[in-house]
Structure formats: C-alpha cells, structure tokens
Amino acid sequence: MRDNPRTAPDIITFTQGCAALGSLAATCFVGPLSDSGHLSALFRIALCLSLTPLLPVCLGWLPEKKRKMGEDEPGLRSVCRCGRSTSCVPAGCGDHAILFDHERCVQQKETVRIAFFVGIVGPLLSLLSAYVPNRIASLSVVASVLAMTLAASYLFLPSRDMANVLAYTIVTRASTPSLRSALQYFYTAGETCLPEDAGPHFTYTYYITFNGLIRECFVILAIFIYQYRMTSWSYRSVLSITLLLASFGNFVDVIL
C-alpha cells in the first residue's frame, strides 16, 4: 500500500470481503449446531480455523526478510528456547532462537510503556465493571483511568499524532456503549428464565443464522458501495460517514 497507494482501496475491499464471506459461511452452521447441542463441534471447528493463519508463516509465504543476528543487527538479542537471553546466539539454539529487538524497544520506550499500560488497563476495567456493585464508583474509576491514559499519551508519546490516534480510539470506544451482549441473553432465554409472554425466546438458528445472514448481506452491499462510490473520497469523509451510520445503528439498542 505504501509503494502503490492506488491499490489501497482494492486491498481493503478484498480483506473486508473475505472476512464477510467467512462470517457468512460461519453463520450458516453456528445456529443449527447450537440448537442441536453440538457445542463441542463448534469449538473444534473454531480451533482449526484459528490455527490457519499459522500456515503461511510456517511455510514461509510471507514476503519478509528474516532478520539474523550479526554486525548489521547490533540491537538484536536472542532468547533461546531454554529461556536465556544473551547478546549472541546460545549454543544449541542456532537459527531456531527467538530474536528480540532490544535497541528499538529502548528507543521507543515511551510507546512500549503506553502499550503495556493500555494492555493492563483493559482487563482491570473489565473486572471492575463485573465485580464492583456500586455503579457510580465503578464509572468514576473508569473515567479517571481513561483520563490518566489520555494524559500519559500526550506526555510520554514521542509524536503528537500518535497521541491523537490513541485519544481518538479511546474516545470513540468509550462514547459508543452497546447493549447487544446483554440483549443476546434476553433474546435467547428459555421459559425457565423468562415467562412465555416476557421474552421473544428466539432459537439460535433464528438469532444467529437468519439475523447473521441478513447482516452479512448488508456488509457485502456496503463493501460494494465503498468500492464503486467511495474510493475516491478522502479518509476523513469516509470515516465521518461510517461513524455517523454506526451511531444511528446504536440507537436501535436504546429503543429496544
């Protein structure tokens, strides 16, 4: 995409289209298998599919030059399978040693700190929202942590553009709450949880497969609209339109 900017929209369309087709295929069997009680089969299928990205890596299909330790790579450190970390390849490790770019990590230590902090904050906030009964206290802590993250990004990140991207990501995610995970239990709850007239009691085939097929059809339609109408737009225009449409879509949860 850097060398051939004109191909960028085509690459995005291709990747998003493949993801939509994969999701379309998955929704066809997830619902029926769930209703029939074959949950273990779903986990086995998901495990096999999750391992498929390792295939091009193991076969060397990625067009990337393998970095090796030497005079032209002074910042690399090798971590042998035994767990030792040295500046040279330990005996017995050979080409199978795991290499760590220590010099670049030191040069970008502020970025590494922010990434580590954000990675730790996510699980902590999830635990906090799940186990703290006082919602006001939980919301206050979450807002404080987000404010600290934004302040730290502007103080420690070497580029203001990186800080702006991080701030944009945090603000957009925090300002678009979703009730779909909670509503899923309401839609599919049985009569033991909800009386017959208190819930829709959807089957998984209807809720996952039929709804998923309709959703993925609209996704594919949106990909075609992007490819044939919006590839010449600026990135800011495309992002603004998609964010507005996503915001209007979230109002459905509020109405329900």
Side-chain angles (χ1 to χ4, degrees):
M1 292 174 64
R2 290 180 179 178
D3 298 334
N4 302 284
R6 294 182 179 179
T7 62
D10 298 330
I11 294 175
I12 294 175
T13 301
F14 176 75
T15 55
Q16 295 296 325
C18 290
L21 292 177
S23 180
L24 188 66
T27 54
C28 292
F29 62 83
V30 170
L33 287 178
S34 299
D35 282 331
S36 59
H38 295 87
L39 300 180
S40 59
L42 288 176
F43 285 110
R44 287 194 291 267
I45 294 173
L47 178 62
C48 295
L49 294 177
S50 63
L51 294 177
T52 52
L54 295 177
L55 182 63
V57 177
C58 297
L59 296 179
W61 292 349
L62 297 180
E64 296 180 351
K65 182 181 178 180
K66 184 177 181 180
R67 301 178 65 183
K68 296 182 179 181
M69 296 188 62
E71 296 181 357
D72 55 339
E73 296 284 0
L76 290 182
R77 300 290 186 270
S78 66
V79 180
C80 188
R81 289 180 178 178
C82 57
R84 295 174 296 174
S85 177
T86 59
S87 58
C88 60
V89 179
C93 290
D95 293 336
H96 299 290
I98 301 174
L99 301 181
F100 175 71
D101 196 341
H102 179 266
E103 183 178 358
R104 180 173 295 182
C105 184
V106 173
Q107 293 175 352
Q108 301 179 359
K109 57 183 178 180
E110 291 84 2
T111 306
V112 174
R113 290 173 182 173
I114 292 294
F116 179 78
F117 179 73
V118 173
I120 292 296
V121 165
L124 290 179
L125 293 180
S126 299
L127 293 174
L128 183 67
S129 61
Y131 293 103
V132 175
N134 192 335
R135 299 303 179 187
I136 297 178
S138 176
L139 182 61
S140 301
V141 174
V142 170
S144 301
V145 172
L146 292 179
M148 291 172 56
T149 305
L150 290 174
S153 64
Y154 282 99
L155 289 175
F156 297 108
L157 285 180
S159 172
R160 189 175 181 85
D161 293 335
M162 295 177 61
N164 290 336
V165 171
L166 180 61
Y168 163 79
T169 304
I170 293 176
V171 171
T172 51
R173 294 295 181 88
S175 59
T176 54
S178 178
L179 302 176
R180 294 183 180 180
S181 297
L183 288 175
Q184 179 177 355
Y185 295 100
F186 171 75
Y187 289 144
T188 59
E191 296 182 1
T192 56
C193 297
L194 288 174
E196 185 177 356
D197 57 346
H201 306 294
F202 292 151
T203 62
Y204 287 110
T205 301
Y206 175 81
Y207 184 73
I208 296 178
T209 301
F210 292 162
N211 287 346
L213 291 175
I214 296 174
R215 181 184 65 248
E216 296 305 325
C217 288
F218 277 101
V219 170
I220 294 174
L221 177 62
I223 292 174
F224 276 104
I225 293 175
Y226 168 78
Q227 178 66 20
Y228 291 103
R229 295 294 182 183
M230 303 174 67
T231 53
S232 60
W233 293 13
S234 65
Y235 179 79
R236 181 171 297 181
S237 300
V238 175
L239 186 62
S240 300
I241 292 296
T242 52
L243 285 177
L244 287 175
L245 293 176
S247 299
F248 286 124
N250 288 331
F251 276 106
V252 176
D253 293 339
V254 177
I255 294 173
L256 292 175

